[in-house]
Amino acid sequence: MKIYVAEQAGFCFGVKRAYNLAVKAAKEEKKSVYTLGPLIHNPQVVERLKNSGVEVLEDPQNAMKGTMIIRSHGAPPHVFEKAKKLGIDLIDATCPFVKKAQKCAQALEREGYEVLLVGDKEHPEVKSIVGHLKQPAMVVGAAEELSGWKIPRRVGIIAQTTQSVANFNKIVGIILEKAHEIKIFNTICNSTINRIESARILAQKVDVMLIVGGKNSANTTRLAQVVKEVLPQSYHVEVPEEIDPRWLEGKERVGISAGASTPDWIISAVITHLQSLAGAKEEEVYLLRK
Amino acid sequence: MKIYVAEQAGFCFGVKRAYNLAVKAAKEEKKSVYTLGPLIHNPQVVERLKNSGVEVLEDPQNAMKGTMIIRSHGAPPHVFEKAKKLGIDLIDATCPFVKKAQKCAQALEREGYEVLLVGDKEHPEVKSIVGHLKQPAMVVGAAEELSGWKIPRRVGIIAQTTQSVANFNKIVGIILEKAHEIKIFNTICNSTINRIESARILAQKVDVMLIVGGKNSANTTRLAQVVKEVLPQSYHVEVPEEIDPRWLEGKERVGISAGASTPDWIISAVITHLQSLAGAKEEEVYLLRK
């Protein structure tokens, strides 16, 4: 059996940065270190951070004195303000691309557009972006949700950084039919686009695909959905043990991709597990990554 | 045989206005009256205007003293300037919606966007719009024409007023994949949208469709294309005599739509001709128009 790892897979720039900031804080700080909500959507990474001394808090009200890390998805301004009032030190690990999306949303509001965000309204990134606006924004995950919405004349559109361009475009198309003026900031990050693109390419060349990452990770889930459209024999796994040996029966080539919140050590563990299951030799593992 | 005329068909607001301005000028002016290029893209209307004393000039240089009418499609500023220099009186019959598209294009350029116009680069309306810009604009008729174009970071997009929303949207979708910031003015006019929509609805209820209007009319041609996708038994005719009686053989319901540059008297002539060919009685003609 041959194992191929997609050219672009695993930790993106923003996640790597957030992870490093958290590890550094745990090493350097004498007081307690917390992240507000899990730092990234990968339970294994969060567990490892916990072992290094980084706790997860859901409510800043419960924070004792210490250092609070704002996770990669960002947070609305009131969280920063509250933490300051409570005398909690802050480390802002918001992904710079999420920060940019927050600024784009604010620019659209300032210019008088009704802001529409293409994304999942329950996702912390989306909450952090719309939380930066004065007015409530329209959040739409799928084109169907637009039915019944009276589309305003001037609409400003942005996306959750992990959206697929296809979904973004579908929603823009519907707005385009009714609105007179539309301003769009394409805030989908390159990591998302590149991971999707290289996973699709790989999926066309293999017999089975494994998409590795948190089940609670928006970008991994979307990656898995897109890949499944190309290759029905695709499976989203969080840890190596989830791999069902029957998926590999009679398969010659296995492809691996991983979301932006999946660390290298889980990708490596999946490769090792695959080798033990199917007996692939070292020289049969192809890292296509640049 | 039953004959149905689409709810929205024939002269639109801008064409009606231009036609009335030309007829009025011919009546009132003692000097020669010219249009710069055909007033609208309907040869029969242009012929009728000629009989009323409105000539067609292709080059303002050749104009004698008199009154020049700027047609519904508009003209670039240099045409206005040249006419003034030559001492020619001007009547500006530019469609207000085309004028708006010119202003939208200028606004996009002023705000620093690279301007992209979705339309036919040879069409006088498109020339009049891009003629209002300081920099050359990118004009794209179909998505395929974008291949090889290095899409800039900031793109401002407008459309020829007679484009279909579907084509506009297809091109926007491609730009969306690469550009960071897009500002769109949807300059497709309501007349275009409504004529296409009501023709599509009618086409689903009849056995054969006739789309009436100038063969040189962009909006009539597009209307005919869209309707043909719904009903293959659709024919674009300019005058009643083009109707082939075989098209009507065994057909019970005939639908009629007409472009924005098609006058009522041609639609009426088509109805009368159909009645004489297929023996439809007066009470079998249904004008769905509001």
Side-chain angles (χ1 to χ4, degrees), chain A residues 226-239:
Chain A
V226 171
V227 169
K228 212 170 178 69
E229 286 167 19
V230 180
L231 183 71
Q233 290 75 36
S234 299
Y235 306 94
H236 178 175
V237 296
E238 199 170 281
V239 289

Side-chain angles (χ1 to χ4, degrees), chain A residues 100 104 113 153-154 165 168-169 172-174 176-187 193, chain B residues 100 104 113 153-154 165 168-169 172-174 176-187 193:
Chain A
K100 200 171 172 191
C104 288
Y113 293 96
R153 255 181 84 74
R154 299 179 76 235
V165 177
F168 191 35
N169 183 26
V172 166
I174 293 168
L176 196 60
E177 279 185 41
K178 304 283 179 185
H180 166 63
E181 183 183 332
I182 302 175
K183 186 160 171 175
I184 306 168
F185 286 108
N186 183 353
T187 50
I193 294 170
Chain B
K100 201 170 170 190
C104 288
Y113 293 96
R153 254 183 85 75
R154 297 180 78 234
V165 177
F168 192 35
N169 184 26
V172 166
I174 294 169
L176 195 60
E177 279 184 42
K178 304 280 179 188
H180 166 64
E181 182 183 334
I182 302 175
K183 185 160 172 177
I184 306 169
F185 285 108
N186 182 353
T187 50
I193 294 169

Side-chain angles (χ1 to χ4, degrees), chain B residues 275-290:
Chain B
Q275 288 179 294
S276 74
L277 278 176
K281 294 173 202 133
E282 202 62 55
E283 60 270 25
E284 288 180 322
V285 178
Y286 301 89
L287 301 176
L288 306 175
R289 281 202 281 179
K290 283 175 178 171

Side-chain angles (χ1 to χ4, degrees), chain A residues 241-252:
Chain A
E241 294 68 34
E242 288 176 53
I243 299 170
D244 185 331
R246 284 172 296 184
W247 299 344
L248 310 172
E249 274 169 19
K251 303 290 191 288
E252 278 184 28

Side-chain angles (χ1 to χ4, degrees), chain A residues 151-215:
Chain A
I151 296 172
R153 255 181 84 74
R154 299 179 76 235
V155 187
I157 312 180
I158 45 168
Q160 187 177 356
T161 58
T162 51
Q163 281 288 306
S164 79
V165 177
N167 190 45
F168 191 35
N169 183 26
K170 204 169 164 191
I171 288 166
V172 166
I174 293 168
I175 303 296
L176 196 60
E177 279 185 41
K178 304 283 179 185
H180 166 63
E181 183 183 332
I182 302 175
K183 186 160 171 175
I184 306 168
F185 286 108
N186 183 353
T187 50
I188 298 173
C189 82
N190 278 339
S191 298
T192 303
I193 294 170
N194 294 340
R195 268 157 196 66
I196 289 179
E197 195 47 31
S198 62
R200 287 175 70 129
I201 290 170
L202 181 56
Q204 289 164 19
K205 297 177 182 164
V206 296
D207 309 311
V208 59
M209 276 290 284
L210 300 177
I211 311 302
V212 186
K215 292 285 168 66

Side-chain angles (χ1 to χ4, degrees), chain A residues 11-213:
Chain A
F11 267 20
C12 64
F13 168 75
V15 166
K16 210 174 283 173
R17 180 175 166 276
Y19 182 78
N20 290 341
L21 281 171
V23 170
K24 187 164 172 271
K27 267 192 200 155
E28 292 176 2
E29 299 289 330
K30 287 170 196 156
K31 294 169 291 181
S32 333
V33 176
Y34 307 92
T35 63
L36 184 58
L39 184 79
I40 56 172
H41 281 153
N42 188 285
Q44 292 71 39
V45 171
V46 172
E47 187 60 30
R48 187 171 276 206
L49 283 170
K50 202 176 165 188
N51 296 336
S52 313
V54 183
E55 292 291 328
V56 177
L57 265 198
E58 289 305 332
D59 188 345
Q61 298 275 15
N62 301 332
M64 295 168 288
K65 297 270 173 191
T67 298
M68 181 187 288
I69 301 172
I70 299 295
R71 57 180 163 181
S72 57
H73 309 112
H78 70 83
V79 170
F80 289 81
E81 289 153 18
K82 196 118 208 169
K84 267 181 198 163
K85 263 190 203 159
L86 295 169
I88 300 167
D89 289 334
L90 276 181
I91 293 178
D92 187 359
T94 308
C95 165
F97 298 115
V98 172
K99 208 154 235 177
K100 200 171 172 191
Q102 293 167 349
K103 285 197 198 315
C104 288
Q106 287 177 314
L108 291 173
E109 184 174 60
R110 218 167 31 239
E111 292 173 31
Y113 293 96
E114 294 264 352
V115 178
L116 182 144
L117 186 150
V118 178
D120 167 13
K121 54 169 81 66
E122 296 305 326
H123 196 280
E125 179 194 321
V126 171
K127 287 179 180 171
S128 94
I129 296 172
V130 301
H132 277 75
L133 298 175
K134 288 175 187 149
Q135 299 294 324
M138 176 82 178
V139 178
V140 173
E144 302 77 67
E145 294 169 33
L146 280 170
S147 76
W149 189 49
K150 200 179 165 299
I151 296 172
R153 255 181 84 74
R154 299 179 76 235
V155 187
I157 312 180
I158 45 168
Q160 187 177 356
T161 58
T162 51
Q163 281 288 306
S164 79
V165 177
N167 190 45
F168 191 35
N169 183 26
K170 204 169 164 191
I171 288 166
V172 166
I174 293 168
I175 303 296
L176 196 60
E177 279 185 41
K178 304 283 179 185
H180 166 63
E181 183 183 332
I182 302 175
K183 186 160 171 175
I184 306 168
F185 286 108
N186 183 353
T187 50
I188 298 173
C189 82
N190 278 339
S191 298
T192 303
I193 294 170
N194 294 340
R195 268 157 196 66
I196 289 179
E197 195 47 31
S198 62
R200 287 175 70 129
I201 290 170
L202 181 56
Q204 289 164 19
K205 297 177 182 164
V206 296
D207 309 311
V208 59
M209 276 290 284
L210 300 177
I211 311 302
V212 186

